[in-house]
Amino acid sequence: ELDLDATLDLDAPLGDLPPPPPEPEEEVNDEPEIFFVVEEMPVLVGGVAALFEDLVYPEMARKSEIEGIVVIQVTIGPDGTPSEPVVVKSVHRILDNEALRAVMLQEFEPGRQRGRPVTVAMNIPVTFRLRK
């Protein structure tokens, strides 16, 4: 049976309402956010010259006349230290290992986002070229 004579009083107090849902919990992430592009990218202290001072052309690669560009992806921390190196473009294992070693010896001025130092992942090309 449908009662069409029912009225609705909008000013009447509402009955007991259920409690509001709990606030969603924020995820706690212990790992720092890693940026790939920031306002100020990290800078190699001493420039590329500092990298090449620490780079030693492996004798085996020299004798075999192996040349090329090894690209190392490295994470630069807020304190300017490199970590988590990965070879993203390989030439030969011998050159790859030397490029990794030389890059990890470097110091960086950290990247900055909104004026504060942050963790940034960046690629560093290391060129091995023989003089003839």
Side-chain angles (χ1 to χ4, degrees):
E1 184 174 315
L2 185 60
D3 182 12
L4 297 176
D5 290 331
T7 60
L8 178 62
D9 184 6
L10 295 176
D11 294 325
L14 296 175
D16 291 334
L17 293 176
E23 292 290 324
E25 292 183 26
E26 288 187 26
E27 291 183 23
V28 177
N29 189 355
D30 294 337
E31 296 181 21
E33 183 177 4
I34 298 176
F35 292 87
F36 290 90
V37 178
V38 289
E39 294 166 350
E40 296 176 42
M41 289 297 285
V43 176
L44 185 59
V45 174
V48 177
L51 174 64
F52 284 108
E53 282 181 19
D54 291 327
L55 196 64
V56 177
Y57 211 119
E59 190 61 34
M60 176 93 60
R62 186 183 308 274
K63 287 180 180 177
S64 302
E65 297 184 359
I66 301 172
E67 297 180 317
I69 300 173
V70 177
V71 179
I72 306 294
Q73 183 180 68
V74 66
T75 302
I76 308 301
D79 60 352
T81 58
S83 64
E84 303 174 32
V86 177
V87 176
V88 293
K89 180 179 178 274
S90 175
V91 173
H92 188 280
R93 186 174 41 89
I94 295 171
L95 296 183
D96 298 349
N97 290 339
E98 179 56 24
L100 282 167
R101 186 193 69 77
V103 166
M104 293 306 291
L105 291 175
Q106 303 310 301
E107 294 178 22
F108 295 82
E109 291 190 23
R112 295 184 176 276
Q113 185 71 15
R114 296 187 183 126
R116 65 178 181 88
V118 293
T119 303
V120 181
M122 64 184 295
N123 291 340
I124 301 173
V126 181
T127 302
F128 290 90
R129 184 164 295 129
L130 293 169
R131 293 186 182 138
K132 301 197 179 194

